[in-house]
Amino acid sequence: MQQQDVEQLVERVAQKLGRGLSLEDLDGLLLAYSSNQSHADRVRVNFLLSKRVAVDVSAWQLSHGIATAVRPVVVPANEELGMLGRVCVPLLVRGFRVGYLWVQLDEEEPGATSVLLQLPEVARDLEQLSELLLDSNTAESEFRRRREQEFLAACAGEANAVAAVAGWKEVQGRGPWQLVTVLDADGWAEGPDPIAARLIHRSAALQATIGVDAALFSAGTETHAVVLFKESTGRADHAQVLVHYQLELAKRAGRAVRRIILGTSEGFSRPREMAEAYRQSKQAAQAAAVDAQLGELVDCRATGFYQLLASAGGGMGAGTDPGSVYFRILEDHDRNGELLPVLELFYDNDGSVQEVAEKLHLHRSSIYNRLGRIRQLLGVDPLKGIVRLELHAALKARRWAGRPRI
């Protein structure tokens, strides 16, 4: 978040409401204010000059319940303080309080009804303002952004960044750890605005991990998010982050998000192992993106043959051709997509014709017929020995070639 973004939003809301506004953090520090003000009372003038809410004014405001409110609160005038009436708009994100927006009433105004009626018109602006404040750790946007950059540099293996992250209070003494790559399986490709894409993933990850003690830090890239977890054998915390991330991403991206994947690394106890852990978590997420049977919460060790493809630098050729003669023969003769899916499911389900038939909603005889056609086309038995290994590997290599490039 840039301070300019906040100031522009506050100014825009002020113009829409035709009111003077001020924005403060949870400690009563001034973050921004509008220039649109027909009359400023003594409290507002002092606040703008000192940049902090006076103790007696704060006590008056708190006495009306603003610290726990989730809806706008009308704070009446206080002649002794030189304060006109106000409406306090608590700024919250998923129940997480990030600040207060104050709307000053005019001197002749009998009540706050007109302001309360206007607030729904600026609801989206207030939501954006809340997101910016949360993403920035309220008043420390540049600090948060620098930390995320340092964290991602450590994940990339930069020695200085690794040493710095190892000394963070969130990290030091809390190992062993594991890294998690959070990936939108269908919408991972970078959009036309990489800065906006990064902000969306940063915000979604930050909000999805609020209140999850095992999630130590998060960062966002143009295509995915990365979360540092304290290592655990359970996956309840991971599942919670997955659900919240999906909701937050859908809200911010303005589209349906059908499938979120969490790829998890092996545990590691030395900070210098972060780069390898990051590679493992990305590989797990990529494999699950192209092979739905792996599920949404995926440990790197559960991705099977995809580990070998990843370590080979893209698999049997980084393109779409797995390099198998038998595979090419089947591909050339499978124009209707009837043969290769049967064969892959047969391999993946330990040769169970019944399971393949159920998953494809076919009769068992249809499965036997298609296996017979494959045998006839190849001139060898596709269910035995080296031919089976070759075809199964080729099928997985074709999937891996379509993996998200993150």
Side-chain angles (χ1 to χ4, degrees):
M1 179 195 78
Q2 300 287 341
Q3 178 64 22
Q4 184 180 4
D5 298 332
V6 171
E7 292 172 351
Q8 288 176 349
L9 261 178
V10 170
E11 198 67 54
R12 186 165 74 197
V13 174
Q15 290 174 359
K16 289 181 179 180
L17 297 179
R19 306 274 180 171
L21 305 181
S22 59
L23 176 68
E24 66 184 57
D25 69 9
L26 301 181
D27 296 319
L29 293 175
L30 177 67
L31 300 178
Y33 62 94
S34 69
S35 58
N36 181 19
Q37 179 70 59
S38 58
H39 172 72
D41 60 17
R42 189 168 79 235
V43 166
R44 177 175 170 83
V45 171
N46 290 337
F47 183 38
L48 299 187
L49 290 174
S50 66
K51 312 299 184 186
R52 181 183 289 275
V53 177
V55 174
D56 52 356
V57 174
S58 177
W60 176 249
Q61 293 172 167
L62 291 171
S63 71
H64 291 86
I66 67 168
T68 57
V70 296
R71 294 181 176 83
V73 176
V74 178
V75 177
N78 185 316
E79 186 174 351
E80 184 179 343
L81 295 174
M83 177 179 177
L84 295 175
R86 281 162 167 67
V87 174
C88 173
V89 183
L91 299 176
L92 302 99
V93 181
R94 235 190 64 228
F96 188 76
R97 195 174 304 269
V98 293
Y100 302 104
L101 186 71
W102 289 91
V103 186
Q104 182 183 304
L105 304 180
D106 289 332
E107 196 169 5
E108 299 81 13
E109 213 163 1
T113 303
S114 60
V115 173
L116 297 175
L117 291 174
Q118 284 180 291
L119 286 177
E121 300 173 11
V122 294
R124 180 56 190 154
D125 294 310
L126 297 180
E127 183 180 343
Q128 290 177 355
L129 189 57
S130 301
E131 291 168 3
L132 284 171
L133 293 179
L134 179 60
D135 177 70
S136 67
N137 256 353
T138 305
E140 297 178 317
S141 59
E142 192 58 37
F143 176 71
R144 172 76 194 187
R145 185 160 38 246
R146 284 199 304 269
R147 281 166 63 86
E148 288 196 23
Q149 290 171 350
E150 195 165 47
F151 175 70
L152 292 174
C155 289
E158 294 184 18
N160 290 338
V162 170
V165 171
W168 289 0
K169 65 178 182 180
E170 301 98 317
V171 178
Q172 191 173 33
R174 301 196 65 182
W177 311 275
Q178 57 190 177
L179 277 172
V180 172
T181 292
V182 189
L183 177 68
D184 177 6
D186 303 312
W188 60 269
E190 180 183 318
D193 186 347
I195 296 177
R198 188 184 304 113
L199 178 59
I200 287 173
H201 288 295
R202 289 176 63 206
S203 299
L206 184 58
Q207 294 172 50
T209 54
I210 290 173
V212 181
D213 292 338
L216 306 179
F217 194 76
S218 67
T221 75
E222 291 85 349
T223 57
H224 63 283
V226 189
V227 183
L228 180 67
F229 272 82
K230 185 174 176 57
E231 185 189 18
S232 65
T233 54
R235 291 292 179 264
D237 289 328
H238 299 66
Q240 179 181 337
V241 169
L242 187 154
V243 170
H244 288 160
Y245 189 91
Q246 184 169 6
L247 294 172
E248 298 297 340
L249 187 62
K251 183 165 64 175
R252 276 151 188 78
R255 57 176 172 81
V257 178
R258 290 182 290 273
R259 186 169 180 245
I260 292 295
I261 295 166
L262 265 64
T264 304
S265 75
E266 292 288 287
F268 62 99
S269 55
R270 292 174 292 188
R272 66 173 180 269
E273 297 172 325
M274 283 186 71
E276 173 59 17
Y278 184 37
R279 186 198 67 78
Q280 292 173 356
S281 71
K282 285 198 296 183
Q283 178 260 306
Q286 289 173 307
V290 298
D291 203 334
Q293 69 170 335
L294 293 174
E296 282 68 51
L297 294 174
V298 192
D299 290 347
C300 64
R301 65 170 58 188
T303 58
F305 188 65
Y306 293 111
Q307 296 175 73
L308 302 181
L309 293 174
S311 66
M316 304 166 183
T320 57
D321 183 5
S324 163
V325 173
Y326 286 138
F327 183 84
R328 290 196 198 103
I329 292 173
L330 288 181
E331 198 171 39
D332 289 343
H333 289 82
D334 193 20
R335 301 301 183 191
N336 296 322
E338 296 180 342
L339 304 181
L340 290 173
V342 165
L343 197 60
E344 185 174 18
L345 277 175
F346 192 86
Y347 293 152
D348 289 346
N349 289 275
D350 299 323
S352 171
V353 172
Q354 183 62 41
E355 285 190 43
V356 174
E358 289 175 358
K359 289 182 177 181
L360 293 177
H361 306 290
L362 295 172
H363 194 274
R364 291 178 61 181
S365 61
S366 297
I367 303 301
Y368 284 120
N369 288 337
R370 294 184 187 185
L371 290 173
R373 287 171 58 195
I374 292 171
R375 188 177 291 109
Q376 184 178 21
L377 282 169
L378 298 180
V380 295
D381 190 344
L383 307 183
K384 292 184 178 179
I386 196 69
V387 175
R388 175 174 180 148
L389 177 62
E390 175 186 332
L391 288 172
H392 200 183
L395 285 161
K396 296 309 179 187
R398 183 178 67 164
R399 283 190 179 275
W400 183 248
R403 67 193 179 281
R405 295 316 202 261
I406 59 174

